[in-house]
Amino acid sequence: MTGTLAFTGSPLDRADHLRGDPEALAGQMNWRARLLLLDGLMPRLGDAGALEWGTLADCDPEAELVFLGTMEGKPCFAAVPQEGADGPAYAQPQIWQAMNLLSEKDLATYGGARSLVDWHARHRYCARCGAMTVIAKGGWQRNCPECQAQHFPRTDPVTIMLVEHDGRLLLGRQPKFPDRVFSALAGFVEPGENIEEAVAREVMEEVSVAVRAVRYVASQPWPFPSQLMIGCHAMADDDALTVDKTELEDARWFTRAELEEARDAGAEGTDTLVFPRSVAIAHHLVAWWLEERA
Ligand SMILES: [Zn+2]
């Protein structure tokens, strides 16, 4: 895998030993502490396109605080906004602009913080009894004072896969994708299946192709709201496609030459294919295949 996957490589030390110790955590909430400045869930960017940090004095006194960890020896916090995410990230141009401007480390810091505070904003009530829950362990848990249930921030596993047949790769496009963009097929892992089974089921559902020899390649957190993208490669026995039009607008096999030409053409792409953006793991998976599977 070449290049850094977006939202990985956070410089934060999660400092788990502080989370579970209320006294130690309270001791971190001092004048040295840094507060990640957010407008709702949007990052506030400085002139240089970097994340902006303030002090705990900048925080709404009513807001819940989550402990992100320590950075350069300083404790770092973020405030839970009033409202959680109300729509998908692709509908928000500010998010794509921020993803283009932020450094790799800032993007990882923002992504982790966003997933965490968004989860708190959308999970204030107990899923078991409906009572208001309270933040615990610096924001890495919520407890219900009524029924004693414990709730933990979610990470939802999603498989995303390159399917290969006879030297070509299968890519698909959803109707919402920009013109000519094709990407790797993807889908949530469901209860009761492993990664290999989820890959095979998704490919069968979306294009009616049987796959084998599923193997893991790389993974990436995707904080809209809290997916873990699990990048895989699989072999198909047959290239006949029946595209499920409720999931995909189109799916096609692309030759190595077509993929290389689209990669080299950058954001404009070719007449038939625009490569997925580098912020997405699909970009790196296809680039990996072009480099490693030559
Ligand atoms: Zn409860």
Side-chain angles (χ1 to χ4, degrees):
M1 184 67 49
T2 54
T4 303
L5 290 163
F7 300 107
T8 67
S10 169
L12 283 162
D13 174 347
R14 290 166 180 252
D16 183 60
H17 61 287
L18 294 173
R19 293 179 191 169
D21 182 342
E23 241 173 71
L25 194 58
Q28 299 292 315
M29 298 169 80
N30 54 32
W31 60 272
R32 295 177 66 245
R34 305 171 83 196
L35 179 76
L36 180 65
L37 299 181
L38 299 169
D39 291 320
L41 289 169
M42 294 295 165
R44 206 178 293 174
L45 304 188
D47 291 340
L51 289 177
E52 292 233 302
W53 296 85
T55 69
L56 295 186
D58 298 313
C59 185
D60 173 356
E62 301 290 305
E64 292 177 317
L65 272 182
V66 301
F67 174 59
L68 302 175
T70 61
M71 199 189 315
E72 295 160 355
K74 291 180 180 167
C76 298
F77 293 85
V80 177
Q82 285 292 318
E83 303 283 336
D86 59 358
Y90 60 77
Q92 298 172 308
Q94 306 104 299
I95 280 295
W96 289 97
Q97 190 186 20
M99 286 197 282
N100 287 330
L101 287 172
L102 289 172
S103 69
E104 288 168 357
K105 287 181 175 177
D106 268 1
L107 195 56
T109 300
Y110 168 65
R114 176 186 167 110
S115 272
L116 187 58
V117 298
D118 183 27
W119 178 79
H120 282 284
R122 292 183 295 113
H123 294 81
R124 295 187 200 276
Y125 295 92
C126 179
R128 188 165 169 227
C129 77
M132 183 83 102
T133 53
V134 292
I135 200 163
K137 296 210 169 159
W140 298 86
Q141 187 174 324
R142 294 189 78 85
N143 293 335
C144 177
E146 292 296 323
C147 76
Q148 319 308 320
Q150 298 177 331
H151 304 280
F152 299 92
R154 289 174 64 144
T155 295
D156 299 315
V158 175
T159 53
I160 179 163
M161 44 279 184
L162 298 180
V163 178
E164 178 175 345
H165 181 268
D166 196 20
R168 295 178 301 165
L169 278 191
L170 175 67
L171 301 178
R173 57 173 279 112
Q174 298 173 19
K176 70 187 182 210
F177 283 6
D179 198 27
R180 289 172 290 128
V181 171
F182 280 76
S183 189
L185 304 188
F188 285 97
V189 179
E190 295 187 345
E193 63 185 2
N194 68 9
I195 292 169
E196 293 86 341
E197 289 168 329
V199 167
R201 176 184 51 76
E202 280 292 337
V203 177
M204 181 55 74
E205 284 175 2
E206 295 191 3
V207 292
S208 294
V209 167
V211 299
R212 59 185 164 78
V214 176
R215 74 173 178 105
Y216 168 81
V217 179
S219 67
Q220 176 193 40
W222 186 253
F224 310 108
S226 56
Q227 289 90 312
L228 175 66
M229 307 300 294
I230 303 167
C232 296
H233 175 273
M235 299 299 292
D237 290 327
D238 190 351
D239 64 357
L241 302 176
T242 305
V243 178
D244 176 1
K245 294 286 186 177
T246 60
E247 299 237 5
L248 294 174
E249 183 180 276
D250 195 7
R252 288 184 216 162
W253 297 98
F254 290 90
T255 64
R256 174 176 296 277
E258 285 174 302
L259 293 165
E260 283 174 343
E261 197 185 343
R263 176 195 62 189
D264 297 344
E268 294 301 309
T270 64
D271 289 345
T272 52
L273 175 62
V274 176
F275 218 67
R277 298 189 208 211
S278 63
V279 74
I281 190 173
H283 174 103
H284 298 275
L285 291 173
V286 179
W288 163 84
W289 186 81
L290 289 174
E291 297 295 323
E292 304 288 324
R293 307 271 303 178

